[in-house]
Amino acid sequence: MRNTSGTETSSMRVASRFPRLSVVLALSASALLCVAGPAHAAPAKDPLPADIPDYQAALDAVKSTDVRNTVCRFLRTPVPSEGAEGPVQTIPETAEPCQGLPAFTIKDPVALNEITPGFVAGTAPPLPTEAVKLTQLVSSLSTTVNGRNATVMLAPTQGGGWHLAGVRDGDRDAAYAGKATVGTLVFTEPQIRGWYQLKLTTVEPLNDQARQGLEGQASVSLGNYQKLVKARYADKLPGSEYDTKGYSSGYSPSRQEDGTPSSALLLAGGTGATLALAGGVAVLRRRRVPR
């Protein structure tokens, strides 16, 4: 008989570091065993916020005056011309950045999950707790401002809590991340801007890029999805030639002007403007076209 105690212990240890994933697995398994509840029962709510570490700190961050003022400065700044690369202009400092702008609120943050380097490399098993990790929180605006929406990106702070990592044009990230429900997990394959839904160990596409990433299939097992991403990126992980040359489609964090890693996510091929907090200076930049 095969000894599985080591595997079970390892899985429990991983799940303890990813409470959201363990909740998803438990709820998904329960859903397979339970019949539908009473007709009058209220729809189930995603328990996501309660399982994000230091979620109150994230709420405090998006409701803070500093973050709101940063968003207002971003929305006041003209979008860089198409095709421009790198830093374009400094976000202007004004005494009242939000003065004269339409009223808006920043929605509560939701989890942005990504595939892990170990899963891509094939060194991690095709298990939800090994394949996907929480990398950032994202919040969109309650309404458009100056004809634009924006996404606030929060990154984990060393020692606990969350801080502003950047502001990006549009609300795509928050819209897709918000599709997670009880028993499912939403994650992104940022290199192709693909968004997927994970149900137990079945991966389903949520947008056209993801459908292309699954080669047109309506769903695949997590194991088969791992084979696809390994073929695409195993030679593009941190430290590879593809990464060190700075190609925008590489599997690595974005870089600041001084070459150090930035906390902003690299979403390859995005054409929207992004406010990057680099070296304490806020600059508006246009993403590079993937190569």
Side-chain angles (χ1 to χ4, degrees):
M1 179 179 295
R2 185 165 59 96
N3 185 350
T4 60
S5 59
T7 301
E8 291 172 354
T9 301
S10 175
S11 297
M12 291 173 64
R13 185 167 58 250
V14 172
S16 68
R17 300 201 307 271
F18 297 89
R20 163 63 178 162
L21 292 174
S22 61
V23 168
V24 169
L25 290 174
L27 291 173
S28 298
S30 298
L32 294 177
L33 299 174
C34 298
V35 296
H40 63 273
K45 297 295 184 180
D46 187 0
L48 174 62
D51 293 288
I52 292 177
D54 301 315
Y55 189 68
Q56 185 58 50
L59 288 174
D60 293 342
V62 298
K63 296 179 187 304
S64 69
T65 299
D66 287 345
V67 168
R68 185 177 180 83
N69 286 343
T70 300
V71 173
C72 289
R73 287 194 294 270
F74 176 82
L75 294 170
R76 283 184 179 279
T77 305
V79 177
S81 59
E82 195 69 39
E85 293 187 7
V88 176
Q89 58 183 293
T90 301
I91 302 297
E93 292 290 345
T94 58
E96 299 291 340
C98 299
Q99 185 174 1
L101 290 180
F104 69 90
T105 58
I106 302 174
K107 296 179 182 179
D108 290 352
V110 292
L112 192 153
N113 301 293
E114 278 191 27
I115 51 177
T116 67
F119 178 73
V120 172
T123 57
L127 298 172
T129 51
E130 299 278 3
V132 179
K133 68 177 180 179
L134 172 67
T135 57
Q136 286 196 336
L137 302 181
V138 289
S139 304
S140 60
L141 308 186
S142 61
T143 185
T144 58
V145 179
N146 290 348
R148 297 164 65 185
N149 207 318
T151 295
V152 174
M153 301 176 291
L154 301 179
T157 301
Q158 187 173 6
W162 298 85
H163 65 273
L164 179 65
V167 183
R168 179 182 300 137
D169 252 333
D171 61 354
R172 181 195 65 203
D173 292 352
Y176 279 116
K179 290 181 180 294
T181 61
V182 171
T184 71
L185 184 71
V186 170
F187 67 92
T188 181
E189 182 185 331
Q191 296 76 15
I192 62 171
R193 294 180 290 166
W195 286 89
Y196 304 86
Q197 189 171 53
L198 179 61
K199 299 178 180 179
L200 283 179
T201 58
T202 299
V203 177
E204 298 179 358
L206 292 177
N207 63 357
D208 288 340
Q209 292 90 332
R211 279 183 279 275
Q212 293 173 9
L214 297 187
E215 299 179 345
Q217 300 175 83
S219 66
V220 299
S221 69
L222 190 57
N224 284 338
Y225 175 66
Q226 182 177 37
K227 294 176 182 178
L228 292 172
V229 294
K230 182 178 179 181
R232 284 198 283 269
Y233 311 122
D235 61 345
K236 301 175 179 64
L237 291 166
S240 67
E241 181 180 7
Y242 199 83
D243 169 43
T244 55
K245 287 186 176 180
Y247 294 130
S248 63
S249 295
Y251 193 104
S252 66
S254 55
R255 303 269 171 187
Q256 298 181 11
E257 276 67 40
D258 61 1
T260 59
S262 166
S263 57
L265 282 178
L266 172 64
L267 295 185
T271 57
T274 301
L275 182 154
L277 306 178
V281 178
V283 293
L284 194 68
R285 66 180 70 205
R286 168 80 62 179
R287 292 194 182 278
R288 293 188 300 172
V289 175
R291 304 183 183 185

